[in-house]
Amino acid sequence: MNAPRNPRTFHVKSFGCQMNVYDGERMAELMAAQGLTATADADAADLVVLNTCHIREKATEKVYSDIGRIRKQARETRGGEPMIAIAGCVAQAEGEEIVKRARVDVVVGPQAYHNLPELVGRAARGEAALDTDMPAASKFGALPSRRKVGPSAFLTVQEGCDKFCTYCVVPYTRGAEVSRPWQAIIDEAKALVDAGAREITLLGQNVNAWDDDGRGLHDLIAALDRIEGLARIRYTTSHPNDMREGLIRAHAEVEKLMPFLHLPVQSGSGRILKAMNRSHSRDSYLRLLDRVRAARPDIALSGDFIVGFPGETEAEFAETLSLVDQVGYAQAFSFKYSPRPGTPAAAMDGFVPAEAMDDRLQRLQAALNRDQAAFNAATVGRTCELLLERPGKLPGQLIGKSPWLQSVHLVSEARIGDLIEVEIVEAGPNSLAGEVLRRAAA
Ligand code: 5AD
Ligand code: SF4
């Protein structure tokens, strides 16, 4: 290994979910607090952190090929290899195996990354540097406070999962459900707002299971609602079984809570839902959505779907299509089932052939795209507030988010971070165009 002894520059690359993006940001802040400089160019960095995802497809193989590519590129462009740290869920699942197979310098699991500086120090001295512990004390207390963030920021409030859906690796890589304490979250939210955030998205694998001594997510949302300077609150991902009355009511009562709900269902077939160990039925899910819509009629609904779960028949897949027709999602994610080593479903019979899997995914995505386009088209002519998040491709163009999480582009003199009132004038399948009506009060 010819890794630089003490890295001076670093690059963090995050894959997968928003919680990984959040973890990647916190790792970057941690390394910056140690005096290292972030670089946008992975080829130029002394330390490359790959913050990996293990949820679907050939995640592990992809990590190994990424490591090879990064090394080769660095050798060609600067004549040496960077120090490589593997973080995230592949690190947790593979552990020592990655060191053996790819000679990486550091392996750190999602619950141990507060130890990253120490591990990097060990690696720089040529010592073994692996930490996949899931300690009882939370890593969050050991992280530096938030400094510089964009207008829309993530805040992890809950991690892990006790639901054990039979296809899912998360309970094994992220551990049991743990809620961060109330005050730590409020402090971090205030720090984010002081650092420039106007919108906070509360994150958790089961964010709506968040709890602190009887206080639930809706209480937390009510407290965030009182933070001056914070304009918008979102949360994701929710589990249907943790969707309590208080949270549904918050959608009717809390103005800052945006009209958007990501509530994965995975399948429309009762038999498949049972085999997935989802602990909700098709009917209980649909009844829940009725209550949410009664509280907030304009709410944009989003979901996750898996096609080709072991044993899924064509008729059972058709039940997923009919559920989609019934709900009318504003957007959704859909995936082909991928066996995760060590999960119960990976040992189930009834493997669905690749062609059927592809065909089902295509038909599901066609239905979801149709509904997304219809939802977007229905907002044309509406007036809403946009939070401006980034510049667009054309000169003077800005891109902001509508309350329903749609990307809207427009030409305006306003600045990133401003809230402006616009009329939606045009809708495509993935983005909309708006015209400025006026600037909202800061
Ligand atoms: N195969 C395919 N999709 C999966 N997901 C989770 N595990 C698997 C798997 N083994 C999907 C689910 C989940 C989303 C984050 O990823 O839809 O909600
Ligand atoms: Fe995975 Fe199910 Fe937990 Fe979601 S609820 S993280 S799909 S086990």
Side-chain angles (χ1 to χ4, degrees), residues 76-92:
E76 283 168 9
T77 55
R78 58 203 283 251
E81 292 181 4
M83 180 185 279
I84 294 184
I86 305 300
C89 291
V90 173
Q92 191 67 37

Side-chain angles (χ1 to χ4, degrees), residues 32-186:
Q34 302 292 313
L36 278 79
T37 307
T39 150
D41 179 6
D43 296 338
D46 297 337
L47 165 68
V48 177
V49 182
L50 295 181
N51 188 21
T52 60
C53 169
H54 200 225
I55 196 119
R56 289 178 296 272
E57 287 145 23
K58 306 195 166 49
T60 316
E61 291 315 309
K62 209 169 141 281
V63 172
Y64 285 113
S65 68
D66 268 358
I67 295 170
R69 214 195 41 244
I70 288 165
R71 285 199 172 123
K72 183 163 175 279
Q73 203 121 348
R75 276 198 307 271
E76 283 168 9
T77 55
R78 58 203 283 251
E81 292 181 4
M83 180 185 279
I84 294 184
I86 305 300
C89 291
V90 173
Q92 191 67 37
E94 289 280 287
E96 189 71 34
E97 189 60 30
I98 312 182
V99 183
K100 283 200 202 123
R101 234 180 102 177
R103 299 176 295 107
V104 297
D105 306 277
V106 175
V107 175
V108 62
Q111 303 308 345
Y113 67 75
H114 54 297
N115 294 329
L116 189 57
E118 189 204 324
L119 292 163
V120 166
R122 288 221 294 261
R125 294 191 298 275
E127 295 167 18
L130 180 138
D131 190 346
T132 50
D133 286 353
M134 294 201 181
S138 152
K139 64 187 172 249
F140 294 109
L143 297 172
S145 71
R146 315 300 312 265
R147 291 235 175 80
K148 216 174 113 238
V149 293
S152 178
F154 292 142
L155 200 177
T156 293
V157 302
Q158 181 279 336
E159 287 190 287
C161 183
D162 298 336
K163 308 281 193 292
F164 290 94
C165 298
T166 52
Y167 52 82
C168 187
V169 79
V170 165
Y172 311 96
T173 57
R174 289 265 171 176
E177 276 177 18
V178 178
S179 295
R180 285 181 72 188
W182 173 276
Q183 197 55 47
I185 297 168
I186 300 293

Side-chain angles (χ1 to χ4, degrees), residues 330-331 368-377 406-407 426-432:
Q331 61 161 73
L368 293 169
N369 289 343
R370 172 203 67 201
D371 290 350
Q372 180 168 332
F375 184 89
N376 287 345
Q406 298 150 303
S407 285
E426 207 184 301
N430 296 314
S431 83
L432 301 89

Side-chain angles (χ1 to χ4, degrees), residues 2-33:
N2 59 350
R5 298 225 131 238
N6 275 307
R8 284 198 295 270
T9 57
F10 71 95
H11 178 86
V12 181
K13 194 170 170 198
S14 288
F15 302 85
C17 65
Q18 290 156 322
M19 297 191 64
N20 255 17
V21 174
Y22 174 86
D23 288 343
E25 286 170 4
R26 308 280 337 236
M27 282 187 246
E29 289 165 350
L30 187 58
M31 299 316 290

